[in-house]
Amino acid sequence: MLGITHLRHISMITPNFDEQANFYEKVWGLDRVDVSEEKNIVYFRGAGPEHHIVSLHKGEKRGLHHISFGMVDKNAVDRAAEILKSKGVRIIEEPGYLGEAGAGYGLQFVDPENRVIELSAWVEVQTSTWNKKNVDPVKLNHVVMNTKDLDMIVEFYTNVLGFKVTDWSEHQMSFLRCNRKHHSIAFNQDEHASVNHIAYEVDSVDELMRGISNVRKAGLEELWGPGRHGPGDNIFCYFQDPGGFVMEYTCYLETIEDESEWRARVWKRVPHLMDQWGIAGPPKPEARKAMKGDPDPGWVDETVDVR
């Protein structure tokens, strides 16, 4: 097992750079971390100690830049590199001190669908006072990716990276955990690889409802929710940000109390299990279209001449 401990942050490429960054700071409740002199990258922290939980990279097309997971220390990162190489995984940034905000020691590799995954340790933590608001996203709760081959990608994340399958939504979605939380990453079967949605954790349903109010006042309506999922048992509400990415406020995600006793369940894809409250129901066509995202080819090896 690689020893992945938790989800750190997600980095996205967006052509709507300024508008999306302003939304995160002024509406969504994140704080900008002004540590980069580059004008095409911006980092945002939540109320928790993680240095940043999301970053935006200016680009021509929206897509995933990378997903970062934590590890215990430098030795764990070095050992992970050896294991990944032994399994034929392509490492695109060898273990070393990272150049991104928060620094730390880490590596980057590509998964079978060309997503860039980062493993890091010794990343700086936030010690400054949090700028408290009426909604304070604490951290990333989970990310969901679309995949062309659900079985293949689940096998990679479990057998190679050491994640465990917590639940299935029939054979449409698989929820994977790296700690006691129900899932840190999930995969949804679709026609192409892309970002499905990104979930930000808040402390209570009251905060979640205040977040809905904030987004409405900014002129955006909720995409799906509020409601309460079956798999994960978490309260949810989804929106689409100005960059086109689907974002979720969530709280009360299920915790696995006894690993030895847990067996993955298969949930039926029926309205009362997609939303236990019966308020939101299943996602409407516009929500599904937004979560489908644009086809994302992932990392491109710029050293290869493709002419």
Side-chain angles (χ1 to χ4, degrees):
M1 295 298 179
L2 292 191
I4 292 171
T5 58
H6 67 290
L7 176 63
R8 283 198 189 280
H9 66 255
I10 187 168
S11 296
M12 295 170 290
I13 304 167
T14 176
N16 292 16
F17 184 80
D18 293 330
E19 188 180 3
Q20 192 172 347
N22 186 65
F23 175 83
Y24 285 7
E25 186 175 20
K26 304 298 183 184
V27 179
W28 197 248
L30 304 178
D31 276 0
R32 190 185 295 246
V33 182
D34 288 318
V35 294
S36 175
E37 294 181 358
E38 298 182 65
K39 297 188 184 296
N40 59 349
I41 305 175
V42 61
Y43 301 87
F44 293 93
R45 65 167 291 195
E50 200 69 53
H51 181 273
H52 63 278
I53 61 175
V54 62
S55 66
L56 300 177
H57 298 246
K58 195 171 187 177
E60 293 181 3
K61 292 184 177 181
R62 65 179 170 133
L64 177 69
H65 189 276
H66 71 272
I67 304 170
S68 179
F69 293 96
M71 305 202 82
V72 172
D73 56 23
K74 176 181 180 294
N75 290 336
V77 173
D78 290 337
R79 180 173 173 272
E82 294 175 2
I83 294 172
L84 291 170
K85 288 177 181 178
S86 73
K87 293 180 180 291
V89 177
R90 183 170 188 180
I91 294 179
I92 60 173
E93 186 172 329
E94 293 285 343
Y97 291 96
L98 299 170
E100 65 188 2
Y105 183 90
L107 62 83
Q108 290 187 343
F109 64 91
V110 288
D111 77 6
E113 290 185 306
N114 240 17
R115 296 178 194 85
V116 177
I117 305 298
E118 179 181 278
L119 304 178
S120 63
W122 296 351
V123 176
E124 296 171 14
V125 296
Q126 291 291 348
T127 57
S128 59
T129 302
W130 170 252
N131 177 28
K132 190 165 179 59
K133 311 167 187 67
N134 72 343
V135 58
D136 300 296
V138 179
K139 60 184 178 181
L140 277 194
N141 184 276
H142 61 269
V143 295
V144 177
M145 299 288 124
N146 294 317
T147 176
K148 290 180 66 176
D149 190 335
L150 185 62
D151 291 329
M152 177 276 296
I153 206 69
V154 169
E155 182 179 5
F156 177 83
Y157 275 76
T158 53
N159 293 342
V160 177
L161 303 188
F163 285 80
K164 296 178 181 179
V165 176
T166 305
D167 279 329
W168 294 86
S169 177
E170 295 188 5
H171 196 248
Q172 180 65 39
M173 290 187 70
S174 184
F175 301 85
L176 308 178
R177 69 186 187 276
C178 59
N179 50 40
R180 292 175 61 203
K181 293 296 183 182
H182 184 274
H183 59 287
S184 295
I185 190 168
F187 289 94
N188 174 67
Q189 179 70 50
D190 213 322
E191 297 173 354
H192 56 250
S194 60
V195 177
N196 183 285
H197 72 268
I198 303 152
Y200 297 79
E201 182 174 324
V202 295
D203 281 336
S204 69
V205 65
D206 288 333
E207 276 199 64
L208 187 145
M209 298 305 286
R210 289 196 296 268
I212 294 174
S213 176
N214 291 346
V215 177
R216 284 181 176 178
K217 289 175 182 176
L220 298 174
E221 289 296 316
E222 53 269 32
L223 194 64
W224 182 30
R228 187 158 203 160
H229 286 312
D233 199 36
N234 50 313
I235 298 172
F236 68 87
C237 195
Y238 294 76
F239 303 88
Q240 191 169 21
D241 74 17
F245 293 97
V246 177
M247 314 167 69
E248 175 189 0
Y249 280 132
T250 192
C251 58
Y252 308 154
L253 182 71
E254 185 174 10
T255 299
I256 308 305
E257 298 297 339
D258 188 345
E259 283 278 359
S260 65
E261 293 294 324
W262 188 265
R263 299 293 181 272
R265 302 162 294 189
V266 179
W267 294 78
K268 292 291 185 183
R269 293 180 66 79
V270 292
H272 72 277
L273 295 180
M274 292 183 182
D275 169 29
Q276 298 181 70
W277 290 345
I279 298 171
K284 293 181 172 60
E286 56 267 29
R288 293 193 185 279
K289 181 179 178 182
M291 290 183 198
K292 189 180 186 72
D294 298 328
D296 190 346
W299 179 75
V300 177
D301 187 351
E302 296 179 350
T303 66
V304 175
D305 189 346
V306 296
R307 292 175 296 175

